[in-house]
């Protein structure tokens, strides 16, 4: 198989695996991450093939879509072993996918440029208008309220609490995670793309509070 055929096979595998997921890991999320990763890879002179494959497969191993994280990673490894002959490429892509999932404090830093590119692309999809949409959809799916002025944001570095969706609100997730991502960008171009999306979320929140509080002086 040549590179184009492998990429097409990976697209089909990801589409089939992610299926109808409605929690923010649908095929279109993967497709956007793949496109953004390609864009950043070009600007940062990273290996586009590695970035594209890692982006396409990054959510297939997600613990939310598999019996366990290990089972998910095994599935991706098996697929790679069937489609790539270069052991180094397989190891590199596995390293990226293993390191990528952001739980609590953020885990290990990415050690390769390609990993940094794909991680930036995934984080960018949690920002801006798309990011706002994903938080709201995810929160609805988990039964979280959009906002409650009585509930303060939590420290998301407390891993146990991070996946406890019963406490907390969609708006708090901006403070717990999303507004921190800009400063965690790995690459200069990723950071540049994050700036605009970060600013958009800040103005969204400003408008949100303005509307929430309009008339709250209460005449009666
Ligand atoms: P990733 O895209 O890195 O796999 P996650 O699985 O953590 O990210 O989240 C998927 C989407 O759901 C993201 O857009 C994220 O902002 C949103 N999300 C994750 N955790 C929460 C949460 N506790 N409350 C609201 N939205 C969340
Ligand atoms: Ni993702």
């Amino acid at each position: 198989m040549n590179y184009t055929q492998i990429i097409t096979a990976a697209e089909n595998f990801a589409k089939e695996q992610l299926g109808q997921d409605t929690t923010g890991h649908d095929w279109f999320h993967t497709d956007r991450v793949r496109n953004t990763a390609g864009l950043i890879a070009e600007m940062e002179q990273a290996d586009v093939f590695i970035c594209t494959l890692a982006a396409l497969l990054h959510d297939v191993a997600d613990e939310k879509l598999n019996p366990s994280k290990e089972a998910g990673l095994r599935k991706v490894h098996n697929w790679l072993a069937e489609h790539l002959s270069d052991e180094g490429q397989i190891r590199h892509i596995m390293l990226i996918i293993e390191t990528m999932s952001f739980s609590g404090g953020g885990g290990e830093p990415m050690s390769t440029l390609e990993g940094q590119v794909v991680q930036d692309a995934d984080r960018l999809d949690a920002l801006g208008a798309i990011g706002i949409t994903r938080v709201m959809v995810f929160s609805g799916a988990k039964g979280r309220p959009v906002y409650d002025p009585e509930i303060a944001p939590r420290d998301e570095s407390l891993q146990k609490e991070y996946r406890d969706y019963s406490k907390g609100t969609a708006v708090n997730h901006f403070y717990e995670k999303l507004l921190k991502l800009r400063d965690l960008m790995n690459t200069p171009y990723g950071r540049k793309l994050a700036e605009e999306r970060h600013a958009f979320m800040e103005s969204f929140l400003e408008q949100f509070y303005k509307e929430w509080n309009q008339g709250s002086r209460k005449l009666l």
Side-chain angles (χ1 to χ4, degrees), residues 37-184:
L39 199 63
I40 302 174
E42 215 181 353
M43 296 298 287
E44 303 288 345
Q45 281 151 22
D47 182 327
V48 176
F49 178 67
I50 295 289
C51 291
T52 304
L53 259 193
L56 283 170
L57 300 175
H58 86 276
D59 268 345
V60 171
D62 193 281
E63 58 182 331
K64 292 190 242 46
L65 304 174
N66 290 285
S68 68
K69 211 176 198 156
E70 292 68 32
L73 289 170
R74 253 196 320 276
K75 192 162 72 187
V76 173
H77 186 269
N78 290 343
W79 189 93
L80 286 170
E82 266 175 45
H83 293 83
L84 293 183
S85 48
D86 185 325
E87 280 293 325
Q89 288 185 327
I90 297 178
R91 266 201 309 276
H92 190 176
I93 294 167
M94 286 308 295
L95 174 77
I96 296 173
I97 296 175
E98 283 163 21
T99 316
M100 256 182 72
S101 72
F102 182 119
S103 313
E108 293 285 299
M110 269 300 172
S111 56
T112 69
L113 175 61
E114 286 70 24
Q116 294 176 347
V117 166
V118 181
Q119 188 173 50
D120 278 2
D122 192 37
R123 287 175 171 168
L124 280 161
D125 208 54
L127 305 183
I130 298 272
I132 294 170
T133 310
R134 289 180 76 214
V135 185
M136 296 307 173
V137 169
F138 186 97
S139 299
K142 297 287 174 191
R144 310 186 104 190
V146 166
Y147 179 54
D148 182 339
E150 303 286 315
I151 305 176
R154 299 168 300 169
D155 181 356
E156 73 72 315
S157 61
L158 304 171
Q159 268 230 31
K160 242 176 40 220
E161 285 196 348
Y162 180 67
R163 293 291 182 200
D164 180 1
Y165 303 114
S166 62
K167 308 187 191 105
T169 67
V171 166
N172 281 352
H173 190 63
F174 286 85
Y175 301 98
E176 290 162 358
K177 177 174 172 185
L178 306 183
L179 292 169
K180 294 178 180 174
L181 293 177
R182 177 188 59 180
D183 295 330
L184 294 175

